[in-house]
Amino acid sequence: HSMRDGGVTTWRRVRLLSVLLEITTGACVMQVELTPRTTSPSIYRSTGLTPVGLPNSEHASGACSSVLPSGAIAALEGKGYFVLPDFLTAAEARALAQDALACESAGLGRVARVGSVALGTHATKENVRRSTLVPLYPPPPTSVGCVETRMHLYDRARALCDILNKAALSFAPAPLERFQIELAYLAYPPGGYYRRHIDVPASRGGWLPRGRSQEDGGSFQQTELRRVVSFLIYLTEGWTEAAGGELRVYTPSDGAGDSNGDSATESYVDVPPLAGSLVCFRSDCVDHEVLTTNRHRQCVVGWLRAMRCHS
C-alpha cells in the first residue's frame, strides 16, 4: 500500500526493526501489560462466574504472576478454558471497537462462513452462523481506521502466544507459531448467533496444509497448521444481561469435548461479552456457541496455531 506521508513510512520501518529484534533476541514484548486489574465486573459476581475458574480469594487479592493470573494456565490445562476480565483497559477496548467499525464502514466486512477453505468445506450457512468478519491477516489498508491500534493488538496477541509457549502446554502438539496467528474483527448483528461447534475439524486431526492444493499444482511449503488455542477479546461497552449474546462454553465431566450434546455428562458456563475481557480455550475439544444477541456485538477472534512438516 502506498504511504501518505514520511511519518507513516518511518513508523513502519521502526515496527519492522522491532519485529526483527524480537526474532533475533527472542524477546517477549508487552508481557507486562497482560497483568489484569484486580476488580471484577459486577455481572461476573451476579452470575456466579469467577474469572479464570479461580477461587474468589485469589482474584480479589490480586495474586497473580507478572503476566497472567497464576491459575490461568492450570484452568486452561484442566478445565480447557479460562476467562480474564480487564485484559484490556476501557480505552484500549474502545479504540479497537472504533477501528473495527471503521473497517466495517469501509466495506471490509464479509459474511462469516463455516468449514475450511483448505478442506473444501468453506460455506455460508446462516442456520449455523450469522455474523460478519474483518480479517486482520493480511492487514486492512493503512488508509482505513487506525494502524497503530491494530499494531498494538498484534503485539498483544504475540505476547499471549509467547506466554503460553513458555508454559509448555501439555496439549500443544508443537510450539505455537507467533507469526502464524489467525486474527479478525468479528461482529454479530441483532439476531446474530453461532451454533454449537468445535474450532478444529475432525478431518486429518485438524491439520490443514499450507499453500496450494494438490489439484492446483501443490505447494513448496510442505508444512501444515493446526489451531491449538482459540481466544476472544470483547469490545462492546455497556453490555447487559438483556442484550444476550453470551459465549456458552460446555464443560463435560470427563474433560473432553462432547459434540453429541449429552446433557447427562456435561454442564456449561455462559460468559458475558464484557468489554476488555479475554476468553481462551482449547481449539480441539471445547464445544462452544454464541447465544442469540439482541444488539450489535463486537469482538476480536483469534487462533494460536502449531506447525509441522507434511506427514
Side-chain angles (χ1 to χ4, degrees):
H1 302 289
S2 60
M3 297 300 166
R4 290 174 292 175
D5 57 68
V8 175
T9 301
T10 301
W11 178 81
R12 286 177 66 87
R13 287 173 179 166
V14 170
R15 290 296 311 148
L16 177 59
L17 289 173
S18 174
V19 170
L20 291 174
L21 181 61
E22 287 182 56
I23 295 172
T24 304
T25 64
C28 298
V29 298
M30 304 293 284
Q31 286 196 2
V32 67
E33 296 189 14
L34 296 181
T35 304
R37 295 196 296 273
T38 58
T39 56
S40 178
S42 59
I43 192 169
Y44 279 95
R45 293 193 291 272
S46 68
T47 58
L49 176 64
T50 57
V52 209
L54 300 176
N56 282 318
S57 58
E58 178 177 342
H59 189 67
S61 65
C64 61
S65 71
S66 61
V67 289
L68 281 178
S70 58
I73 303 301
L76 186 59
E77 291 273 16
K79 298 175 179 291
Y81 77 99
F82 70 79
V83 182
L84 181 60
D86 300 325
F87 176 74
L88 299 182
T89 66
E92 288 173 323
R94 191 175 303 118
L96 285 167
Q98 291 171 351
D99 186 62
L101 285 174
C103 291
E104 291 177 24
S105 298
L108 301 181
R110 66 190 191 197
V111 174
R113 299 182 177 186
V114 299
S116 166
V117 174
L119 297 177
T121 59
H122 209 217
T124 300
K125 294 184 178 181
E126 192 165 321
N127 64 320
V128 176
R129 184 179 191 182
R130 185 167 180 245
S131 58
T132 58
L133 190 77
V134 176
L136 295 177
Y137 286 120
T142 57
S143 59
V144 175
C146 181
V147 177
E148 186 174 357
T149 295
R150 292 194 290 271
M151 293 304 297
H152 182 62
L153 174 62
Y154 300 149
D155 285 340
R156 297 298 291 269
R158 286 194 294 266
L160 179 63
C161 180
D162 292 336
I163 294 162
L164 296 180
N165 269 334
K166 186 176 181 180
L169 299 172
S170 64
F171 58 85
L176 305 175
E177 296 288 333
R178 67 195 316 270
F179 294 109
Q180 295 292 338
I181 300 173
E182 290 182 80
L183 202 61
Y185 289 134
L186 185 62
Y188 287 85
Y193 51 80
Y194 195 171
R195 304 308 184 203
R196 182 172 176 168
H197 64 285
I198 291 178
D199 285 351
V200 170
S203 177
R204 296 170 49 86
W207 291 98
L208 302 177
R210 299 176 66 201
R212 295 180 300 178
S213 66
Q214 291 299 322
E215 292 77 9
D216 291 331
S219 172
F220 289 105
Q221 298 188 58
Q222 298 299 308
T223 55
E224 48 194 9
L225 295 164
R226 203 203 82 180
R227 293 173 174 175
V228 178
V229 176
S230 307
F231 65 92
L232 296 161
I233 306 172
Y234 294 119
L235 306 179
T236 304
E237 294 183 292
W239 200 265
T240 65
E241 292 184 59
E246 294 90 348
L247 174 72
R248 177 164 291 179
V249 179
Y250 291 89
T251 55
S253 59
D254 62 0
D258 185 355
S259 298
N260 295 321
D262 187 352
S263 59
T265 62
E266 68 177 8
S267 59
Y268 60 80
V269 173
D270 287 341
V271 181
L274 302 177
S277 298
L278 167 72
V279 184
C280 285
F281 54 91
R282 289 182 58 168
S283 303
D284 63 335
C285 68
V286 174
D287 286 75
H288 58 285
E289 65 177 302
V290 176
L291 304 182
T292 302
T293 181
N294 300 317
R295 57 168 288 194
H296 188 266
R297 171 191 186 281
Q298 287 180 303
C299 67
V300 172
V301 61
W303 293 271
L304 305 179
R305 301 186 292 180
M307 184 166 59
R308 72 177 185 182
C309 294
H310 275 308
S311 56

